[in-house]
Each structure stands twice: as structure tokens, then as C-alpha cells.
Amino acid sequence: MTTSLPRRSALALGAGLLAAPFLRARAEGNPIRILVGYAAGGPADIAARIVAEKLALQLQQPVVVDNRPGAGGQLAAIALKAAPADGSALMLTNTHTVATVPLTVKNPGFSTTRDFRPVGSVATFELALATNPATTNASNLAAFGRWLATHRGDAAIGVPAAASAPEFMASRIARHFQVESLPVPYKGSAPMLPDLLGGTLHGAITSVSDFLPYHRSGRLRILASTRRTPLLPEVPSFEEAGLPGMELTELLGLYAGAGVPEATVARYNAALAQVLAQPEVVEKFRGLDMTTVPGTPADQGERLAKIDRMLGQLVKDSGFKL
């Protein structure tokens, strides 16, 4: 006969086992903070916590997530710029903070190229355009364009934030089909999706993962994505659907301050590569509809430069003014 531990004792034992690596790490080094410019529970925060847990074991130092939500990640970026150049502070963020904000905010308080240096890419995820088939009856991007053309001035395409990549993509769609449809900015995808499902919006652009359950149930239809994804093998990329210049795959990356020594950055990059190679980590990101993308700091810099060029063209074409 086996005897089980009392519930409280079992929980305490489990917590102790989980905490052991961090207690050992705390004894062996000073803590590293990963700044996140978004609230707890969002994609960047969840990704940072996955990475932080595994980095602590690789580096034998405690690694903690420090949320600084606000202004599209600007607060975290400014905090990283002001941090000591000893590698004790890093930032995990998306391309909105390091690419879109510098293009759309007059004085963001930081320069991505001058104040930060890439440590390594973490993961990518795709953006997509979806419509309510009950409203537009559009089965593909061309059909959606025809619907827009017959509803000039009345169509609305929702985006999760003002002056965001989805907003400039929506403007590009309107210009491509020569319609007057304007992006309608929301404060996140959560309040936007009910309006799309209810028919107030005729289309919307956000991450594939936000649309996925409704697409699979038939309540929404994803028409195109920034890049064809294994999650939706039947959905073409925008380029395949006849609308190039929309390959704005979102990139989550890890950054250090510009003054952090190259040797420290190399050490962090090597540890990050070990973390992202773990099947458990790959599966956790896959569960978030993200793809891990390990690589060198130079690889990350090249990815970001490509996004900068593409996003810069979209912003310029939209006529956006600071």
C-alpha cells in the first residue's frame, strides 16, 4: 500500500523542486532582469517567462521578468537605455517597440540602432486579414476587394492599435483596391474581435492566433497572412494572393544595452540558443502559435533591418505624419 503526502506537503515539495534551480542560481550570481513593455499575460510576457526560466538554468544566474507596460513598449525601452552596461538588464520585445515606434513617434526616448544591440531572435508569429463571411461573403482577398469596391466609404477594417503595423497594412489594402476604407484602431484585439464577429467591422488585421479558433469554427474567414503558416496551409500569403509588400512577420527578440560588452552578449546568445533548441521550449512556443528562430545577434539584426525597410515603405506610402 502506498501512502500519499498530505496536499499541503505535496504542494510544498513541488514548489521546492521547482524553486531549487533558481535558489541555486541565486547563490551563484546576480539577477538578470528581462524588461517587457507589455502587461503580464500577453504574448511578449509569456515568451519572456518561458525564456527567463530556462536561461536561469543555462547561465546559473537568477533571471526575472520586469514588466514595464505602456506606450507600446517605450517605457521598457527607455529603462533599458538607462540601465547599467553590465548585462544585468535585457529587454524582450516585439517589432512594434523597436521598429514601429521609432517610425511613428517624434521623440520616442531611444534609438534602436544607437541604444541597443541584438542578443538573439526568440520567435516569430504571423499577422493576417480576416473577414466575417456572413457580412462580406468573401472567400479570398480578391473577393474581399470587390466587396470593398461596392461599399465605398462604408467598409471598416479594424486594427489592434493606432500607428501599428496592422494599421499600415490596412491602409495598403485600401489603396490596392482603390477604396476609401479607413483603419479603425482599437486598444488591443480583445475589444476588436466582438465587433468583427458582430458585423460592425467588415475586416480586421491582427495575429493569426487571435483569429484561429473563429476561423476553424467558420465564424470568421482568414483571407491572407503575412507568410503562409503550417497552422493554415490552405491560406495564402498576401503576396501569393496578389498583394506584395506585406511580409511583416512579427519578431520577438532579446536586446541588450549598446554598451554591454560583446563577450557578455555572446554568452547570452549562446545560452539563448541552448534554450530555444529544447523540444519542451519549441512546443511551448508552438502552443502560442509562434515559431522559435534561434540565431546569432547578426541574424537578428538582419531580420530587424528587413522589417524596418518594409515597414518604413508602408508608413511612407500611407502618408502618415508624426
Side-chain angles (χ1 to χ4, degrees):
M1 182 178 70
T2 59
T3 304
S4 61
L5 288 169
R7 178 173 174 80
R8 183 174 299 176
S9 299
L11 289 174
L13 176 60
L17 290 172
L18 288 172
F22 294 95
L23 293 174
R24 184 174 64 250
R26 185 172 298 278
E28 295 179 7
N30 295 321
I32 298 169
R33 291 180 301 140
I34 296 182
L35 297 158
V36 176
Y38 300 92
D45 173 74
I46 295 171
R49 292 179 189 279
I50 294 170
V51 169
E53 178 185 356
K54 300 299 185 181
L55 270 183
L57 300 176
Q58 290 293 325
L59 296 171
Q60 289 296 288
Q61 286 181 253
V63 181
V64 298
V65 175
D66 184 355
N67 295 88
R68 304 287 184 94
Q74 280 177 257
L75 300 184
I78 291 169
L80 179 63
K81 177 183 175 180
D86 57 3
S88 60
L90 302 171
M91 176 175 67
L92 192 148
T93 194
N94 54 23
T95 47
H96 182 79
T97 302
V98 292
T100 309
V101 167
L103 287 170
T104 57
V105 176
K106 202 166 194 177
N107 296 300
F110 65 92
S111 165
T112 300
T113 54
R114 289 196 306 268
D115 297 324
F116 309 139
R117 60 187 306 169
V119 172
S121 301
V122 175
T124 60
F125 60 95
E126 306 304 324
L127 301 174
L129 166 70
T131 187
N132 185 332
T135 304
T136 66
N137 197 32
S139 59
N140 54 50
L141 185 60
F144 183 65
R146 290 192 293 272
W147 188 90
L148 290 175
T150 59
H151 295 77
R152 294 179 180 274
D154 297 327
I157 299 177
V159 297
S164 63
E167 176 173 329
F168 299 120
M169 291 168 67
S171 296
R172 172 86 171 85
I173 291 169
R175 290 194 309 277
H176 179 76
F177 291 113
Q178 299 181 354
V179 297
E180 297 176 359
S181 171
L182 295 176
V184 180
Y186 284 75
K187 292 185 177 180
S189 297
M192 178 180 72
L193 288 170
D195 284 354
L196 181 61
L197 291 163
T200 304
L201 292 173
H202 308 104
I205 298 175
T206 188
S207 66
V208 166
S209 60
D210 286 332
F211 291 137
L212 203 55
Y214 305 106
H215 174 83
R216 287 173 172 164
S217 69
R219 296 182 66 191
L220 297 178
R221 182 174 292 145
I222 299 176
L223 303 178
S225 59
T226 46
R227 188 175 59 181
R228 191 181 282 265
T229 167
L231 292 169
L232 297 166
E234 75 282 8
V235 175
S237 68
F238 282 103
E239 185 171 21
E240 290 169 334
L243 183 51
M246 300 272 278
E247 299 81 35
L248 277 171
T249 295
E250 279 285 334
L251 174 67
L252 287 175
L254 194 63
Y255 298 85
V260 174
E262 186 173 343
T264 302
V265 171
R267 175 172 170 257
Y268 290 167
N269 175 263
L272 180 63
Q274 292 291 323
V275 167
L276 297 179
Q278 297 176 24
E280 175 191 354
V281 172
V282 172
E283 284 304 314
K284 283 184 177 180
F285 276 99
R286 188 172 293 158
L288 298 170
D289 297 319
M290 296 182 186
T291 303
T292 52
V293 284
T296 66
D299 293 335
Q300 185 189 355
E302 289 172 7
R303 289 185 179 113
L304 187 59
K306 181 179 179 182
I307 291 168
D308 269 335
R309 289 192 297 270
M310 191 171 298
L311 184 59
Q313 190 63 52
L314 283 174
V315 172
K316 179 181 178 181
D317 291 346
S318 73
F320 178 84
K321 303 296 182 184
L322 289 176

